[in-house]
Amino acid sequence: MTFPRFFVRSAGMMLAATLLGGFTPEPAMAASNLRGASGATLAPGDVAPGRLYARDVREGIGPGLVSVSTPTSPKLPLATPLAPETQRSKSTVLHVNPRSAAVQVELPIDTPDEAWVILVPKGTSARAGEEALRDVALFDPQGRRADKRAARDAQNQMGVDSEKLKGITQPMSMLRLNRGMGRGQYKVQVGAKAAALGFAIEVRQPSSPIELSLTASSMQLFPGDEGYVTVGVQSDTPVDHVRYEAALYNPRFEKDRVVPVVKVGNEYRALVSRAMNEKDEPGAWVLEVRAVGAVGGQAFDRLGQTGFGFAVPTARIASVGRERLVRDASGKVTALEVDVVLESQSLDRYEVTGSLVAMDPKGVERPVAEAQVTDQLGAGTHTLTLRFEAGHAGLSKLDGSYALRGLRLFSLGTNSLYHRLAKGLEVRFPAVRVSELAAPELTPGIESMVREGEFNLGQ
């Protein structure tokens, strides 16, 4: 989605401002090269903007550089970036809009075993809904009325005593089908009173072999990118034919526009990014897809939804590097620093975050510290420095060559993720021993973690 950020992770953690006076960078690393982010190989869940847009944010932000370092328990798994998941559906929803005339709605049901038909009146009045339900009837493919039997089966399945329901307002009707009712075209007759109120008719077929799948190409899409959602129908027998319809819902879940679905190679794609532009609202959008067709001569209807974040990027990570150890006058390492160069087209308050990891004796990367740095920046090229307090890393008792992971750039003005590089461009700090690291300031939060053994991998 839009991946909101909350800057202060814990009141008990140490907030370390970037105070560089009196400290000396490791000389060998002061001139290390910057690694360019353009063209970097993206890991699953990574996002990288293409074109940048000029859209100043002037409300809700303020100037001032803030840098924070917090220790992390090495027992915790390294955070896995959110990657697109396949959403699957064996159900559909059909609508009778309010103020409609009486109508007959056909429901193609291929697997009545354990199937449910749920009748939901629209509106806010439970009593009006209950009255409208009396004006609705369900008929099986043989033309026999099925709603009364199906209602009894539903009550038995849910363990509901029908006698106890008498006198209780029932604003919706749940009907459970069975194999004996047969597969084929069921019909819902919606009378004038019910049609005037409006109805949603949901059909669930959990035992059906026919399934609609939706997979977004990315969890975060940008205008102008080739972002899409792969759609498909899977079945244990070949699909005779299928037609897809797709629509976008904006962050307020209002139906916004139609999205074209085209065949690309052997798959169908809903071309989301081509239907969106930089004028669209950032936030969590939803794509709804309906698939109508036939399998083995039996009609089917499936409806599915999947969500993704949409942002109009105004900045990106241009390069990362000049990683260094900062020592005090006694030679102790007080911090591990790395520069992150940003390219910005607009005024905003940007935040860069990253994780510091160390290798445990089994060769597994363990998180030992996190750092965030934020500042209000305008158009141009800017450098923000991630500063990991050495004492925070030393709490884990893991030494060696620490690495940067989970590098991310956020817009705090729009509450959006703009850039994420899980591998941190493979930045690795000079090797250092735990004995070289300065001791941390023990805040109440850190003392609590120490008492609970959060930094002891042996426990």
Side-chain angles (χ1 to χ4, degrees):
M1 306 315 183
T2 51
F3 308 98
R5 299 298 299 155
F6 299 94
F7 192 69
V8 179
R9 299 293 183 88
S10 170
M13 296 298 183
M14 175 181 179
L15 302 184
T18 307
L19 302 174
L20 300 181
F23 298 100
T24 305
E26 192 81 2
M29 298 308 299
S32 85
N33 294 328
L34 291 167
R35 299 161 179 79
S38 176
T41 300
L42 300 181
D46 281 357
V47 294
R51 176 185 170 187
L52 300 182
Y53 297 84
R55 295 179 64 168
D56 286 352
V57 177
R58 298 191 179 278
E59 296 182 1
I61 64 171
L65 175 70
V66 179
S67 178
V68 174
S69 173
T70 57
T72 305
S73 170
K75 292 183 175 182
L76 297 175
L78 193 60
T80 302
L82 292 175
E85 296 182 356
T86 297
Q87 303 297 323
R88 304 182 186 277
S89 173
K90 295 184 179 182
S91 63
T92 191
V93 180
L94 300 170
H95 293 273
V96 177
N97 293 325
R99 297 182 295 279
S100 296
V103 66
Q104 179 173 280
V105 180
E106 294 193 351
L107 310 177
I109 296 180
D110 57 274
T111 311
D113 311 45
E114 301 178 350
W116 291 80
V117 175
I118 304 172
L119 307 174
V120 184
K122 296 181 183 289
T124 58
S125 171
R127 186 169 298 279
E130 185 178 44
E131 292 175 358
L133 284 168
R134 301 191 186 102
D135 200 24
V136 178
L138 173 69
F139 295 86
D140 67 20
Q142 289 72 43
R144 300 170 300 192
R145 185 157 182 176
D147 50 298
K148 295 189 181 299
R149 317 178 255 161
R152 288 194 298 269
D153 288 348
Q155 291 170 1
N156 292 335
Q157 175 69 21
M158 295 184 292
V160 176
D161 186 346
S162 58
E163 291 297 320
K164 293 182 179 179
L165 293 177
K166 292 181 179 179
I168 299 176
T169 301
Q170 300 177 51
M172 63 184 292
S173 179
M174 300 186 67
L175 311 176
R176 189 173 190 270
L177 310 186
N178 58 59
R179 183 180 302 177
M181 294 180 179
R183 63 200 297 259
Q185 295 291 108
Y186 284 67
K187 297 177 176 63
V188 178
Q189 289 186 354
V190 183
K193 180 181 292 186
L197 183 65
F199 260 82
I201 305 170
E202 182 178 358
V203 181
R204 302 178 184 177
Q205 301 182 68
S207 300
S208 173
I210 304 173
E211 183 177 72
L212 170 65
S213 64
L214 308 175
T215 308
S217 60
S218 175
M219 289 292 293
Q220 181 87 1
L221 301 183
F222 302 118
D225 288 356
E226 287 299 315
Y228 58 87
V229 174
T230 301
V231 303
V233 171
Q234 292 76 42
S235 174
D236 56 2
T237 55
V239 177
D240 300 338
H241 60 86
V242 62
R243 173 174 54 85
Y244 296 106
E245 299 173 350
L248 275 175
Y249 288 77
N250 62 29
R252 294 177 301 282
F253 204 69
E254 300 165 339
K255 192 171 184 178
D256 192 277
R257 73 198 71 171
V258 172
V259 175
V261 180
V262 301
K263 190 171 185 180
V264 180
N266 295 323
E267 64 184 21
Y268 285 89
R269 294 178 179 177
L271 303 180
V272 176
S273 285
R274 292 189 185 181
M276 306 184 76
N277 58 58
E278 67 275 15
K279 296 180 181 179
D280 285 318
E281 179 182 356
W285 287 68
V286 172
L287 179 75
E288 183 177 81
V289 178
R290 182 180 297 278
V292 179
V295 171
Q298 169 62 51
F300 69 83
D301 184 336
R302 296 291 184 269
L303 186 73
Q305 294 180 339
T306 190
F308 58 89
F310 178 76
V312 181
T314 62
R316 65 163 65 93
I317 296 171
S319 57
V320 184
R322 291 196 286 263
E323 59 274 14
R324 54 197 177 270
L325 305 178
V326 179
R327 297 180 184 269
D328 62 16
S330 68
K332 286 286 188 178
V333 176
T334 59
L336 298 90
E337 295 183 343
V338 60
D339 291 336
V340 181
V341 179
L342 305 182
E343 177 188 349
S344 169
Q345 290 289 329
S346 300
L347 176 71
D348 199 345
R349 188 166 185 86
Y350 297 106
E351 179 187 273
V352 174
T353 71
S355 297
L356 192 69
V357 302
M359 202 77 73
D360 72 8
K362 296 181 179 179
V364 178
E365 286 189 342
R366 301 283 185 172
V368 296
E370 291 186 356
Q372 300 91 35
V373 57
T374 177
D375 199 0
Q376 179 175 292
L377 306 172
T381 300
H382 310 273
T383 299
L384 292 178
T385 299
L386 280 175
R387 178 183 173 91
F388 300 93
E389 293 299 314
H392 294 163
L395 289 166
S396 67
K397 301 297 188 293
L398 297 174
D399 51 20
S401 180
Y402 295 104
L404 177 67
R405 295 288 185 260
L407 183 62
R408 291 151 291 176
L409 169 64
F410 294 89
S411 158
L412 298 185
T414 64
N415 208 26
S416 299
L417 171 70
Y418 283 169
H419 210 155
R420 175 170 53 206
L421 298 167
K423 294 296 184 181
L425 295 183
E426 299 296 347
V427 167
R428 190 168 291 278
F429 291 85
V432 63
R433 295 185 300 274
V434 171
S435 59
E436 298 179 74
L437 304 178
E441 179 182 341
L442 294 179
T443 64
I446 294 177
E447 289 178 337
S448 176
M449 294 178 71
V450 171
R451 286 194 301 271
E452 293 171 5
E454 291 296 325
F455 302 110
N456 190 345
L457 283 175
Q459 291 184 1

